Amino acid sequence: MDAPSPGAEDPELTYLNVALAFGFIVLNVIFSYIFDLGVGVSLLVAGIRCVVQLAIMGVLLQKVFETENPWAVAAIAFWLNFMGTFETVVNKSKKRHLNMFPSVLFSLLASTIPTSIIGVRFSMSVTRFWEPSQYIPVVGMLCGSTINGVVVAVTYILKEMQDNRDRVEMYLAFGASRMEASKPILVDALRIALTPTINQMSVLGIIAIPGMMTGAILGGSSVQRAAKLQMIIMFLISASTALASICSATYAVSIVVDHDHRLRQDRIYSKPLYSFSPSQGVLRVLFNAGNAVTNQVGLFGARLSRAFKGGNRARSGSGGREERAGLLERGLSYEEAPLSR
């Protein structure tokens, strides 16, 4: 990183400065009560979580930066992905499917880790890609942006599978495989998941100065280098979001439509993984959440081998192939196909 310019001041920040900035959160809470928005408590909880989590992260990262241990870097990277998965499944997703936690965790690890390693080593020209000060911030930014795409893709698929189940079942009845019947929904889900990233890249440098570039400039880097770093990060985010969305969305389809090509509404859940009431303590809430996660991980291994079995195989049956061929010959699209009532 470039050396700070001569005469540049590096003011020391204390928690008094943080408290002053927290006043804007309090202002938002006041607005929430004035306009009866009902988000005042959520704002306070989110703000307090932000302070506590970043304070703990600052202490941990300082130790990791000092030791420069690659195993510590790997542990931090896994922890970021694990907590990102927990946030995705428990807090952000309104609908969930069977074995969602392990599938999302696998999707995040399979996208953020390879993308960050290749990006840091080659795009950022860091010889030791696991350099803590370089690798950990990149993984953190990838996780934070990737979970949004995963939530959008999976939630859209589960919603469409419930709202338009008649169309999916009609295609399955005509002999289509689960991937053929679900392809229009899958394509739309991935398109919607990638749209925010595309929009974000479109406005960078014209309307918005992104956080990575701002942080690099405040840290003393030259503006040109900060701009190039931001370009690299955005391209890595785009790739990671696409990979994770594809993996998680494909697995969601394979769960909701089983290997026997049946639409399984019983594998879609809308209720939360754990419940909270004022009478419950924090430890009880964590215990319930831990049990829910453990149960999903335990079921994942048993069902993984069967999830994709026969995924692309059309069902055999009387007239299945012939009926599907007739449907395709008549040129009926997914939207034009009549609904089975």
Side-chain angles (χ1 to χ4, degrees):
M1 181 175 291
D2 299 345
S5 58
E9 296 183 358
D10 188 13
E12 181 181 356
L13 298 179
T14 65
Y15 280 101
L16 176 60
N17 302 101
V18 177
L20 292 175
F22 193 82
F24 292 103
I25 298 295
V26 177
L27 182 63
N28 288 338
V29 173
I30 295 175
F31 288 151
S32 174
Y33 280 104
I34 291 176
F35 296 104
D36 197 20
L37 302 179
V39 295
V41 176
S42 299
L43 284 170
L44 283 177
V45 172
I48 295 173
R49 280 187 58 183
C50 178
V51 173
V52 174
Q53 291 167 183
L54 287 178
I56 296 175
M57 179 61 70
V59 175
L60 291 177
L61 291 185
Q62 184 64 35
K63 299 294 184 181
V64 174
F65 288 177
E66 292 174 355
T67 58
E68 295 189 350
N69 188 334
W71 293 109
V73 175
I76 292 292
F78 178 81
W79 176 254
L80 291 174
N81 281 275
F82 182 85
M83 293 307 299
T85 303
F86 187 87
E87 185 73 15
T88 299
V89 177
V90 176
N91 293 330
K92 290 184 175 293
S93 298
K94 296 182 179 179
K95 294 181 181 294
R96 303 170 186 86
H97 61 77
L98 186 66
N99 296 330
M100 184 172 175
F101 189 93
S103 68
V104 172
L105 178 60
F106 172 80
S107 300
L108 289 181
L109 290 173
S111 60
T112 59
I113 300 302
T115 303
S116 59
I117 291 176
I118 296 174
V120 173
R121 174 62 184 88
F122 298 102
S123 296
M124 297 175 62
S125 299
V126 178
T127 303
R128 298 191 306 175
F129 70 86
W130 48 267
E131 189 72 31
S133 60
Q134 302 289 332
Y135 184 75
I136 293 178
V138 172
V139 174
M141 284 184 286
L142 293 186
C143 289
S145 299
T146 300
I147 61 175
N148 294 326
V150 171
V151 170
V152 171
V154 175
T155 301
Y156 181 85
I157 287 176
L158 299 182
K159 181 178 182 299
E160 288 297 309
M161 287 294 185
Q162 287 184 324
D163 295 345
N164 295 317
R165 59 175 299 178
D166 293 332
R167 288 177 176 172
V168 177
E169 289 178 339
M170 184 202 66
Y171 269 86
L172 293 173
F174 275 103
S177 67
R178 54 181 171 181
M179 289 303 172
E180 291 172 335
S182 307
K183 182 179 179 181
I185 296 177
L186 183 61
V187 170
D188 288 342
L190 295 177
R191 183 183 296 115
I192 295 174
L194 294 177
T195 298
T197 304
I198 297 174
N199 293 337
Q200 187 178 4
M201 286 191 293
S202 301
V203 301
L204 289 183
I206 299 178
I207 301 174
I209 299 179
M212 174 68 183
M213 184 174 177
T214 303
I217 295 174
L218 293 177
S221 179
S222 66
V223 178
Q224 291 296 325
R225 187 174 189 276
K228 293 172 184 176
L229 282 175
Q230 185 61 56
M231 297 175 197
I232 294 172
I233 293 300
M234 285 307 305
F235 298 153
L236 296 181
I237 288 175
S238 177
S240 179
T241 303
L243 288 174
S245 299
I246 291 172
C247 292
S248 58
T250 304
Y251 188 84
V253 168
S254 68
I255 287 294
V256 177
V257 184
D258 63 17
H259 63 279
D260 290 326
H261 306 278
R262 298 173 300 178
L263 186 58
R264 300 291 299 273
Q265 296 285 330
D266 58 305
R267 294 182 175 180
I268 302 177
Y269 314 115
S270 298
K271 63 180 181 179
L273 289 178
Y274 66 93
S275 59
F276 174 78
S277 63
S279 60
Q280 290 179 313
V282 175
L283 293 179
R284 181 63 179 173
V285 173
L286 294 177
F287 178 77
N288 292 338
N291 279 342
V293 172
T294 303
N295 291 336
Q296 289 208 16
V297 173
L299 292 173
F300 179 68
R303 295 183 179 273
L304 182 60
S305 60
R306 295 185 298 168
F308 293 95
K309 184 178 180 181
N312 295 322
R313 181 184 60 198
R315 286 186 304 174
S316 59
S318 57
R321 289 286 185 181
E322 292 77 5
E323 290 172 339
R324 183 174 60 165
L327 178 65
L328 297 177
E329 287 177 0
R330 292 197 299 272
L332 291 179
S333 64
Y334 182 79
E335 291 77 10
E336 296 170 345
L339 295 177
S340 59
R341 301 295 181 188

